[in-house]
Amino acid sequence: MTSNDASTEIAALRAEIEQHNHRYYVLDDPSVPDAEYDRQMRRLRELEAAHPELVTPDSPSQRVGGEAIAAFGEVRHAVPMLSLENCFDGDELADFDRRVRSRLHGVNEVDYSAEPKLDGLAVSLRYEHGLLVRGATRGDGATGEDITHNARTIPSIPLKLRGGGWPEVIEVRGEVVMPKAGFERMNAALRERGEKTFVNPRNAAAGSLRQLDPRMTAQRPLAMYCYAVGEVVGGELPDRHSEVLKQLAGWGFKLSPEVRVVRGAQGCADFHADIGRRRADLPMDIDGVVFKVDSRAQQAELGFVARAPRWAIAYKFPAQEELTTVEAVEFQVGRTGAITPVARLKPVFVGGVTVSNATLHNMDEVERKDVHVGDTVIVRRAGDVIPEIVRVLPERRPAGAPAVVLPPVCPVCGSAVVRPAGEAVARCSGGLFCAAQRKEAIKHFASRRAMDIEGLGDKLVDQLVEQGLVHDPADLYALTVEQLAGLERMGEKSAENLVDALEASKQTTLARFLFALGVMGIGETLAQTLADHFRDVTPLLSVRSDDLVGGQGVTGIGPKSAEAIAAYIAEHPDALPDDMALDAATLLGLAIPQLTASRADALAAHFPTWGALRGVSAADLVGGGTRVAGIGAVLAEQIVGFFAQVHNREIIQRLRDAGVRWESPVLRGDGDGDAQPLAGLTLVLTGTLEGIGRNEAKDALQALGAKVAGSVSRNTSFVIAGAEAGSKLGKAEKLGVPVLDQAGLETLLRGEIPAG
Ligand code: I6G
């Protein structure tokens, strides 16, 4: 191949790969299967290796990171990187808006560009003639560190601007962050290798950017979200900040998908409240929202005070991390006997509430974090997540602070505590002899998503168990008004109501009943799967492991991918001629959802022709020995063990004798079309629905044959959005999944399918 030919092919490959990168990393909207992307990248590397004179710094092949540098250089920012004024409540925000309007000679209402304030590291990128020439940290605002070598490895940072019309020189500023999911994955991998983990995504982002070796940075899941410009030479930008952001997006930069223009102080307050409600669901940690006067002419009129613009403010959320001290560590016993160490903390205001307890999960965690009583610790409370100790500050440990030791016997019943070698969880061996386990098992049985016994709260269960009135769930149905009325804080009327609620709870679904039994490892989804599969509890009483695991499927294909692949085949029976021999490349060419290269290999090895693959069901495909979706060997043993125990069988029998019953579930997606008018639909519920709880709606829709999933994907038929719907609504809009309101839900509940 001549250098000319190579140059043409290289240019075409670079353009294509950059386009895929842009779709994948900037727009979160992948355009080609991974295998195709890998093939193009391999080809580009091959050509560049054969023609090293054609390698340029803006080639996508250069993102893997070059040589390590010896030390960070200094970069003086041509335009200083300022800080932002902060405010912490609505009054301070209103004051800011009043100041802005008064300086603008009393304009009535100001438009603000609003966006979340991401918790990462501020970075400035300098482009000359459309090419990235420098990346620098904020530093002290005037001088930062040169991190060009690392910036090049971050896939959402364009090496070369897209489109055209960019200024000769432009500095683009934003925040480099590590999304929460990437952070969790990276820490899990570090933990697995016995390496030190990062305390939070911000520290992980900062640590990753401050690497001398860019090959390390290249492996970290970083992204940069842009929000401002610095120096601009030889070019003009639009008049409104929001338009500048759109222009940046056009040049290939990633923006927060939450950017909005809002009106006046009220618009700002509403935006703050909306983002605040969704804070825990956002993919990145944020510590507030930022408002900027949208008109750049007004910005110029307002100017700066000290080192902050008068036209912008950060409205902060309550800190999610604070310092406090561990006053004691106690051990709680859960439903399955798991013993959980809980730190009793000196009360501290964090994440918007006062926190005085934090879970330590298990003894491995206590040992890993090296928690001693008396330690000063960082406690974190994010959203509704249970507060946790992030880390100990060993330098502040008082002399003689006692280590935390697992008690040899259960603190509730005195039975031996067992912790099998290699396992993190220690358990009380008392079973239902242990009052703590009994209480928790009954609370779970009565809970809303299980038997939904209204009025049977935790305090009441504690009393019932402590007074010996209830030993197991079946005893609940023998309770009388007289017995209940004698309890603390229970009158005759409440006792009658509870007996009525117990009676009402007897009519249930098999899935709820199975979930209520509290079999270890059986959550709501698996309970539903078991109910669909076995249709009654009786076959489960004699279930064997072989009935749950041991299929003939394809290695490497799990229940989810099997469903996606089988659905594709069912929808495209004529995608290939019947007698066509299959290989992985042919299958990958069909862009079947969830079909990775390794699964394509396995599938082609298993099914010699398309004809052989046509007509297979998801169950035929599931490999690794799974027969019931989601159940592997360990879970199968737990299920078999549970139903084999005489004591559990007796409770099930007594519950049935007491009148607990369910409609026989109809198999989804086949059989009686009239009883299953929603068969084949996959629905997702989000937000608060009117007049019907989410679980109730879920049960009703499932009874009509629909599948109700927890997350939105391209396979979702409809998202049903109630009031204050969260990120699922955004995802639906992004993927083009039809969204239904309350009226749409009602149509579905009548068994009719609304127009999409
Ligand atoms: O620190 C910052 C975070 C977010 C910012 C910022 C921002 O906009 C969304 N904008 C400016 C202008 C500055 N700091 C100085």
Side-chain angles (χ1 to χ4, degrees):
M1 178 180 256
T2 67
S3 177
N4 237 350
D5 290 344
S7 168
T8 313
E9 191 178 343
I10 284 176
L13 281 167
R14 284 179 187 166
E16 269 208 56
I17 294 171
E18 275 306 348
Q19 173 67 10
H20 301 325
N21 275 344
H22 182 65
R23 290 277 299 265
Y24 191 94
Y25 292 106
V26 178
L27 304 180
D28 294 327
D29 180 23
S31 50
V32 286
D34 292 355
E36 172 62 7
Y37 178 89
D38 293 345
R39 195 191 60 72
Q40 292 180 351
M41 189 61 108
R42 259 198 315 274
R43 177 69 183 148
L44 175 62
R45 291 223 176 87
E46 225 171 72
L47 288 170
E48 288 182 344
H51 301 273
E53 73 285 2
L54 298 176
V55 178
T56 56
D58 62 323
S59 171
S61 64
Q62 302 305 296
R63 287 199 187 268
V64 285
E67 290 297 302
I69 59 167
F72 292 101
E74 274 195 356
V75 175
R76 198 156 177 81
H77 300 299
V79 172
M81 291 183 78
L82 303 170
S83 46
L84 288 178
E85 186 193 339
N86 289 327
C87 71
F88 296 91
D89 61 34
D91 291 344
E92 290 177 0
L93 175 71
D95 286 346
F96 162 76
D97 175 62
R98 245 190 308 278
R99 282 196 304 276
V100 165
R101 283 185 293 116
S102 129
R103 281 195 172 261
L104 294 175
H105 310 294
V107 292
N108 249 348
E109 225 167 19
V110 175
D111 280 341
Y112 293 99
S113 171
E115 64 182 287
K117 187 170 185 302
L118 305 183
D119 209 0
L121 205 74
V123 161
S124 183
L125 304 172
R126 186 178 177 87
Y127 290 82
E128 292 178 2
H129 306 286
L131 292 182
L132 174 67
V133 295
R134 180 92 53 249
T137 60
R138 177 177 184 278
D140 64 5
T143 308
E145 280 178 331
D146 186 339
I147 46 129
T148 315
H149 61 304
N150 289 336
R152 286 188 187 288
T153 69
I154 299 177
S156 50
I157 293 182
L159 299 176
K160 189 164 134 188
L161 300 186
R162 297 169 66 82
W166 51 75
E168 266 166 53
V169 174
I170 181 164
E171 283 178 0
V172 177
R173 282 149 185 196
E175 204 82 355
V176 170
V177 296
M178 187 174 289
K180 293 179 211 169
F183 167 76
E184 296 298 344
R185 268 198 308 275
M186 183 188 80
N187 258 2
L190 289 172
R191 208 170 289 132
E192 188 121 298
R193 298 201 297 267
E195 291 175 32
K196 198 162 173 280
T197 52
F198 287 97
V199 170
N200 56 36
R202 201 199 103 81
N203 285 22
S208 304
L209 265 193
R210 295 203 69 266
Q211 290 282 339
L212 292 171
D213 185 347
R215 282 163 296 206
M216 296 291 286
T217 313
Q219 287 164 28
R220 301 281 167 82
L222 298 174
M224 177 155 169
Y225 288 82
C226 296
Y227 54 65
V229 291
E231 189 179 34
V232 177
V233 180
E236 280 298 312
L237 293 176
D239 295 337
R240 298 204 150 257
H241 178 70
S242 50
E243 296 296 323
V244 174
L245 292 181
K246 280 190 194 140
Q247 177 65 83
L248 292 179
W251 287 332
F253 294 96
K254 192 173 179 83
L255 306 183
S256 164
E258 306 287 347
V259 183
R260 301 276 181 280
V261 175
V262 298
R263 264 263 121 141
Q266 188 58 49
C268 293
D270 292 346
F271 183 84
H272 177 268
D274 173 47
I275 297 287
R277 268 192 297 273
R278 295 192 286 122
R279 183 182 186 185
D281 296 333
L282 296 179
M284 261 91 53
D285 274 350
I286 63 171
D287 59 358
V289 289
V290 178
F291 301 111
K292 295 176 183 170
V293 171
D294 197 36
S295 154
R296 292 179 64 226
Q298 288 182 336
Q299 288 185 359
E301 205 175 327
L302 288 160
F304 299 86
V305 57
R307 299 172 55 73
R310 280 207 189 88
W311 40 264
I313 195 156
Y315 186 174
K316 303 294 276 291
F317 291 129
Q320 290 186 317
E321 290 184 2
E322 280 296 349
L323 285 183
T324 187
T325 49
V326 176
E327 295 184 328
V329 172
E330 289 170 8
F331 291 86
Q332 280 180 351
V333 187
R335 172 161 63 86
T336 57
I339 298 214
T340 307
V342 178
R344 305 291 177 209
L345 304 171
K346 180 158 180 252
V348 60
F349 191 72
V350 55
V353 298
T354 301
V355 166
S356 41
N357 302 308
T359 177
L360 283 160
H361 301 292
N362 54 53
M363 284 311 285
D364 272 4
E365 182 94 344
V366 171
E367 284 152 22
R368 195 163 56 73
K369 290 187 173 156
D370 191 26
V371 179
H372 289 223
V373 175
D375 270 343
T376 298
V377 293
I378 299 174
V379 61
R380 177 177 173 87
R381 180 187 181 271
D384 293 333
V385 178
I386 307 168
E388 62 163 358
I389 288 178
V390 179
R391 80 180 168 96
V392 164
L393 273 57
E395 64 279 13
R396 297 213 196 171
R397 176 170 295 158
V404 178
V405 279
L406 181 68
V409 295
C410 170
V412 176
C413 72
S415 302
V417 167
V418 289
R419 186 183 176 196
E423 277 196 19
V425 180
R427 288 182 200 281
C428 158
S429 58
L432 288 182
F433 169 73
C434 175
Q437 291 186 55
R438 245 180 295 146
K439 284 179 186 172
E440 294 309 314
I442 292 162
K443 287 174 193 171
H444 171 77
F445 181 84
S447 65
R448 229 158 40 87
R449 305 165 93 118
M451 298 299 282
D452 194 16
I453 305 173
E454 218 182 308
L456 186 52
D458 289 0
K459 292 256 157 43
L460 196 51
V461 173
D462 289 346
Q463 284 193 69
L464 290 170
V465 173
E466 281 158 19
Q467 303 207 5
L469 291 172
V470 169
H471 295 88
D472 61 48
D475 290 340
L476 289 172
Y477 292 105
L479 287 170
T480 60
V481 172
E482 293 70 45
Q483 283 173 319
L484 289 167
L487 296 172
E488 230 176 79
R489 276 183 287 158
M490 279 291 274
E492 184 89 9
K493 185 79 201 130
S494 327
E496 277 171 16
N497 288 345
L498 182 54
V499 170
D500 288 348
L502 280 160
E503 190 56 38
S505 75
K506 290 179 185 172
Q507 178 65 55
T508 186
T509 64
L510 178 57
R512 277 175 175 269
F513 179 74
L514 294 176
F515 176 57
L517 290 177
V519 187
M520 213 196 293
I522 301 296
E524 275 179 286
T525 310
L526 269 181
Q528 182 69 57
T529 308
L530 288 171
D532 286 346
H533 194 89
F534 291 98
R535 306 202 198 185
D536 197 357
V537 75
T538 314
L540 278 161
L541 296 175
S542 54
V543 74
R544 295 165 307 128
S545 257
D546 288 358
D547 302 327
L548 298 164
V549 287
Q552 296 290 310
V554 184
T555 315
I557 296 191
K560 262 198 180 149
S561 44
E563 260 189 40
I565 295 166
Y568 175 93
I569 297 167
E571 282 164 25
H572 305 85
D574 302 320
L576 298 171
D578 269 8
D579 56 356
M580 179 152 181
L582 292 183
D583 58 26
T586 310
L587 287 169
L588 286 171
L590 297 175
I592 301 175
Q594 306 256 354
L595 189 71
T596 57
S598 61
R599 289 183 188 139
D601 270 338
L603 208 55
H606 209 88
F607 296 95
T609 61
W610 179 253
L613 190 54
R614 246 171 82 148
V616 295
S617 69
D620 299 328
L621 294 176
V622 177
T626 303
R627 183 158 283 176
V628 180
I631 297 184
V634 174
L635 209 48
E637 283 307 322
Q638 282 170 7
I639 295 169
V640 171
F642 180 92
F643 287 104
Q645 266 194 36
V646 174
H647 166 80
N648 291 333
R649 299 163 71 90
E650 273 173 13
I651 291 178
I652 292 169
Q653 191 51 51
R654 283 171 46 223
L655 286 167
R656 301 207 73 179
D657 292 347
V660 172
R661 61 197 176 271
W662 47 85
E663 301 279 324
S664 171
V666 189
L667 253 197
R668 283 195 233 301
D670 65 5
D672 183 349
D674 286 334
Q676 301 272 284
L678 306 186
L681 292 188
T682 301
L683 307 172
V684 173
L685 297 164
T686 178
T688 311
L689 306 168
E690 272 170 51
I692 185 166
R694 241 199 277 175
N695 287 321
E696 211 183 320
K698 182 176 169 186
D699 285 346
L701 293 166
Q702 285 178 336
L704 291 165
K707 184 170 160 193
V708 180
S711 60
V712 183
S713 75
R714 285 181 206 284
N715 297 330
T716 308
S717 318
F718 294 103
V719 167
I720 299 154
E724 291 175 9
S727 56
K728 288 175 193 164
L729 180 55
K731 179 118 190 249
E733 282 161 2
K734 195 160 162 195
L735 294 177
V737 172
V739 177
L740 300 179
D741 57 8
Q742 188 75 23
L745 170 62
E746 283 159 17
T747 307
L748 286 171
L749 291 174
R750 287 196 300 273
E752 296 161 23
I753 301 178

